[in-house]
Amino acid sequence: MILSEQKPFDEIIAYLEKDRSVFVLGCNGCAQSSGSGGPRQVEEMKQKLTEAGKKVTGTKVIDFLCEKALVKSGLKGKVDQLKEADAVLVLTCGIGVQAVAAAINKLVYPGCNTVNLGGSRGEWEGSERCNECGQCLLYHTGGICPLTACTKSLVSGACGGANHGKCEISPDRDCGWELIYNRLKARGQLERLADIMKPLDHKKIMPRPEMMSTPRYALEQPEKEEKAP
Ligand code: SF4
Ligand code: SF4
């Protein structure tokens, strides 16, 4: 399971500053269990956005947003509502947001931060990865995670070492920042590259103390080696 929590509403509404209409997408998997993006939270978000003067063109909750095939099939009946929306707000973990951004040709914004559980993984088999940084940056990067797509986890742009689109550290990997640049360009959002990115707050990357005292966290830890007598 991946734990997520909703971003402050002020941050979400700032993302939508230039957008008049929005489609809200939730996840019936981990986000529903986390209380951050299930049917209830999607409905609540719709009301809050409407009260804030945004037109919500539609909503949908899909079983696992980390599965791109489910995203595409789940949204088949929502084509008109999606077309009408300037952006899609996704209430789920960073993997789900990335999968949605890859699956549909729309502006996709994260509505949640993914919280570190100290190692839990599960549920998806796609190529998207999330480092559970607790301060999701996908709004600025076209829905591609800079922490996992870039070998150096750079959050403020490319290192300049890429060669023909491949990473200078791992030539078998695409340069994550070239992927981000190409995505932003394709979606008409190149101005995002000028966003000032704050340094990561590493306190948010660590599992929270309350998580570290749960049985689930204890079960995730490697067994300690017995000392030889
Ligand atoms: S920026 Fe990347 S690591 Fe951080 S929550 Fe978003 S997807 Fe996960
Ligand atoms: S070449 Fe690209 S992916 Fe590799 S470290 Fe530099 S910016 Fe990151």
Side-chain angles (χ1 to χ4, degrees):
M1 158 149 177
I2 299 170
L3 190 68
S4 57
E5 61 186 10
Q6 269 188 28
K7 286 177 175 287
F9 189 66
D10 287 352
E11 188 174 342
I12 291 173
I13 209 72
Y15 289 168
L16 292 161
E17 189 190 359
K18 292 185 181 156
D19 303 307
R20 193 184 51 83
S21 55
V22 57
F23 184 95
V24 184
L25 192 51
C27 175
N28 247 336
C30 307
Q32 191 269 338
S33 315
S34 301
S36 60
R40 201 183 85 211
Q41 292 78 33
V42 166
E43 195 51 36
E44 287 168 358
M45 182 57 70
K46 178 183 171 183
Q47 282 179 19
K48 280 160 92 174
L49 289 168
T50 306
E51 282 163 18
K54 300 293 173 189
K55 178 175 181 184
V56 178
T57 64
T59 64
K60 178 78 181 172
V61 181
I62 290 174
D63 279 350
F64 295 103
L65 287 180
C66 48
E67 173 57 74
K68 291 192 279 291
L70 284 179
V71 173
K72 286 183 185 178
S73 60
L75 288 175
K76 267 196 176 141
K78 298 283 183 181
V79 173
D80 290 341
Q81 294 177 6
L82 280 168
K83 264 191 198 159
E84 201 190 337
D86 295 325
V88 178
L89 177 69
V90 187
L91 300 180
T92 193
C93 72
I95 293 166
V97 178
Q98 291 180 74
V100 172
I104 64 173
N105 187 16
K106 295 289 295 183
L107 302 185
V108 170
Y109 303 155
C112 296
N113 291 320
T114 305
V115 180
N116 196 311
L117 284 176
S120 291
R121 282 283 188 256
E123 279 75 60
W124 86 99
E125 293 181 3
S127 53
E128 292 76 19
R129 293 290 180 270
C130 167
N131 267 7
E132 302 173 334
C133 74
Q135 50 214 296
C136 194
L137 307 168
L138 293 174
Y139 168 80
H140 304 279
T141 55
I144 295 173
C145 174
L147 295 175
T148 56
C150 169
T151 313
K152 295 177 193 164
S153 295
L154 301 175
V155 297
S156 299
C159 68
N163 187 9
H164 296 294
K166 297 294 180 186
C167 174
E168 69 167 353
I169 306 262
S170 306
D172 55 327
R173 288 183 55 169
D174 291 331
C175 166
W177 273 97
E178 286 215 19
L179 296 177
I180 291 169
Y181 175 87
N182 290 336
R183 170 73 62 74
L184 290 173
K185 188 174 179 194
R187 305 224 169 144
Q189 285 188 301
L190 275 181
E191 74 276 7
R192 290 269 191 276
L193 290 173
D195 290 351
I196 307 281
M197 305 290 266
K198 288 188 204 156
L200 286 179
D201 180 349
H202 288 273
K203 285 201 293 296
K204 292 184 178 166
I205 295 176
M206 290 301 293
R208 295 203 189 136
E210 66 266 27
M211 294 309 311
M212 291 164 85
S213 58
T214 60
R216 186 169 61 195
Y217 183 82
L219 287 168
E220 289 282 341
Q221 303 314 304
E223 279 186 34
K224 290 204 172 74
E225 304 246 347
E226 296 282 338
K227 275 195 185 146

